[in-house]
């Protein structure tokens, strides 16, 4: 009966007023084994972005392998107008115990739905609390120290640039993506005060994270202006920036996941947010009875949940001297010797 209900839910979601895509994940485990069923609704761009959404999905896969849980997932269509409906249908499924919204655009919707379903647990990745509002006790916000991580990425760029000009391309202009830009710029200037940073954003709505052609266009323009390194924080749109780097023979710094496999030799580094590990840790907490709602959980640079990539694939591009300098900067940020102001809500 449980799987019949889930199949019914999937079909009504796909064929009804909401046109997003939802499908069953691994079906090992589930409530029959006393384990939670997890529902995840992806951000704009969905699975296959090789970045933010794919990292979150990998967290589900890790939890499935570790705990044998069952999970389902859904993708909002277009610009994500059916995001709220997808969350609500997940919450209404009596078999789903934990609902995860992937991305800052879920913040308002998931808070209101958590209040409507107090018996369920909810998580929002990159959650932005509403000013003056109390978070529901059954909602946990996951945030990362993306400004500090971007500062480190900026230091890598500032020490590596040959033209003294670097670029930044963000997806949707928003508070979180502006922190990527400001952290990057501060990092560049900290190690190379004479360097110029050219900023650009793809758009003002969620669709800005799903427009690789625009990302490529902006990147080609910045490379033409002399930038030899571009830092992209643009979700699936960043694939276009990566393509522009490959076309021009220039370098790109990526975000969320290590995207070096997408353009070997052209990805200087990636500012990674261990979204998969954070999802797994949250599911661990649910299973252990230590889930904490009503607050933000910060996954930072001190334990490398937020970090930059340095491994055998990009070590020659960065070089040992640059790596040593950036590691020293990392230690100084952690100690407070270098002050990098993160978002106030996460303090």
């Amino acid at each position: 009966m449980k799987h019949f209900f889930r199949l019914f839910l999937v079909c009504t979601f796909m064929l009804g007023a909401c046109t997003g895509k939802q499908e069953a994940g691994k079906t090992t485990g589930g409530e029959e084994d006393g384990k939670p069923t997890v529902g995840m609704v992806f951000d704009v761009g969905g699975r296959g972005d090789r970045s933010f959404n794919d990292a979150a999905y990998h967290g589900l896969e890790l939890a499935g392998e570790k705990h044998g849980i069952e999970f389902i997932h859904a993708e909002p269509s277009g610009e994500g107008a059916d995001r709220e409906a997808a969350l609500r249908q997940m919450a209404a499924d009596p078999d789903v115990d934990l609902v995860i919204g992937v991305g800052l655009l879920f913040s308002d919707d998931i808070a209101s739905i958590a209040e409507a379903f107090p018996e369920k647990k909810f998580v929002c990745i990159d959650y932005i609390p509403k000013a003056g509002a109390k978070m529901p006790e059954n909602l946990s916000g996951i945030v990362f120290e993306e400004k500090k991580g971007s500062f480190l990425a900026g230091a890598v760029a500032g020490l590596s640039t040959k033209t003294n000009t670097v670029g930044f391309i963000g997806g949707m202009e928003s508070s979180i993506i502006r922190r990527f830009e400001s952290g990057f710029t501060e990092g560049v200037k900290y190690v190379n005060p004479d360097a110029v940073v050219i900023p650009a954003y793809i758009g003002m709505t969620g669709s800005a994270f799903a427009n690789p052609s625009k990302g490529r266009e902006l990147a080609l323009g910045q490379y033409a202006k002399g930038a030899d390194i571009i830092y992209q924080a643009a979700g699936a749109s960043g694939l276009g920036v990566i393509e522009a780097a490959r076309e021009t023979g220039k370098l790109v710094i990526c975000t969320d996941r290590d995207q070096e496999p997408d353009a070997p030799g052209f990805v200087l580094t990636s500012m990674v947010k261990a979204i998969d590990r954070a999802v797994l840790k949250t599911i661990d907490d649910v299973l252990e009875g230590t889930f904490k709602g009503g607050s933000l959980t910060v996954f930072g640079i001190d334990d490398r949940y937020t970090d930059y990539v340095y491994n055998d694939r990009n070590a020659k591009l960065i070089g040992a001297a640059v790596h040593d300098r950036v590691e020293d900067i990392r230690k100084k940020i952690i100690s407070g010797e270098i002050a990098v102001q993160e978002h106030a809500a996460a303090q």
Side-chain angles (χ1 to χ4, degrees), residues 60-256:
L60 288 183
E61 292 181 312
L62 292 175
E65 293 168 4
K66 180 177 181 180
H67 300 297
I69 65 164
E70 181 176 340
F71 56 84
I72 58 174
H73 52 87
E75 297 183 17
S77 63
E79 294 190 11
D82 49 9
R83 182 181 302 108
E84 192 272 347
L87 285 170
R88 190 170 293 277
Q89 281 199 286
M90 286 278 190
D93 184 341
D95 294 325
V96 174
D97 307 279
L98 173 66
V99 179
I100 302 174
V102 184
L104 63 97
L105 298 175
F106 286 89
S107 298
D108 290 344
D109 289 336
I110 204 166
S112 63
I113 292 173
E115 291 179 346
F117 293 88
E119 76 285 359
K120 297 291 177 80
K121 293 180 177 67
F122 294 83
V123 172
C124 183
I125 300 171
D126 281 351
Y127 181 74
I128 302 177
K130 184 175 290 186
K134 187 176 184 295
M135 283 182 65
E137 292 298 322
N138 58 331
L139 169 63
S140 175
I142 289 176
V143 295
F144 296 85
E145 291 182 329
E146 57 270 321
K147 186 169 182 179
K148 293 177 182 177
S150 295
F151 190 103
L152 297 176
V156 173
L159 293 167
S160 302
T161 179
K162 303 296 192 297
T163 64
N164 255 17
T165 301
V166 298
F168 171 83
I169 295 177
M172 173 183 165
E173 189 167 357
S174 60
S175 59
I176 285 181
I177 304 303
R178 284 194 294 271
R179 285 199 296 276
F180 280 85
E181 179 195 348
S182 62
F184 178 70
T185 301
E186 289 173 21
V188 170
K189 295 292 187 179
Y190 181 82
V191 299
N192 189 349
D194 296 328
V196 175
V197 180
I198 306 172
Y201 285 84
I202 291 171
M204 300 295 293
T205 67
S207 62
F209 291 116
N211 191 344
S213 62
K214 184 66 174 180
R216 175 180 173 275
E217 175 189 333
L218 291 175
L220 290 174
Q222 290 188 353
Y223 288 134
K225 291 178 181 178
D228 57 348
I229 302 167
I230 294 175
Y231 180 39
Q232 61 89 3
S237 298
L239 297 175
V241 182
I242 295 171
E243 177 58 30
R246 190 163 37 215
E247 287 180 30
T248 60
K250 304 294 177 62
L251 295 173
V252 60
I253 296 176
C254 300
T255 50
D256 296 332

Side-chain angles (χ1 to χ4, degrees), residues 40 53-65 69 71 275-281 283:
M40 177 175 284
N53 290 300
D54 281 355
Y57 183 74
H58 186 235
L60 288 183
E61 292 181 312
L62 292 175
E65 293 168 4
I69 65 164
F71 56 84
I275 298 166
D276 51 358
R277 289 169 54 205
V279 168
L280 175 61
K281 175 66 167 60
I283 295 172

Side-chain angles (χ1 to χ4, degrees), residues 227-306:
D228 57 348
I229 302 167
I230 294 175
Y231 180 39
Q232 61 89 3
S237 298
L239 297 175
V241 182
I242 295 171
E243 177 58 30
R246 190 163 37 215
E247 287 180 30
T248 60
K250 304 294 177 62
L251 295 173
V252 60
I253 296 176
C254 300
T255 50
D256 296 332
R257 300 186 80 182
D258 181 4
Q259 293 183 278
E260 188 275 343
D262 293 332
F266 301 102
V267 177
L268 180 60
T269 187
S270 297
M271 197 289 285
V272 291
K273 292 160 48 173
I275 298 166
D276 51 358
R277 289 169 54 205
V279 168
L280 175 61
K281 175 66 167 60
T282 300
I283 295 172
D284 287 344
D285 290 344
V286 171
L287 288 168
E288 294 167 5
T290 57
F291 175 86
K292 294 180 181 178
S295 62
L296 298 180
T297 300
V298 180
F299 292 90
I301 67 169
D302 54 344
D303 51 10
R304 296 192 183 271
Y305 273 91
T306 307

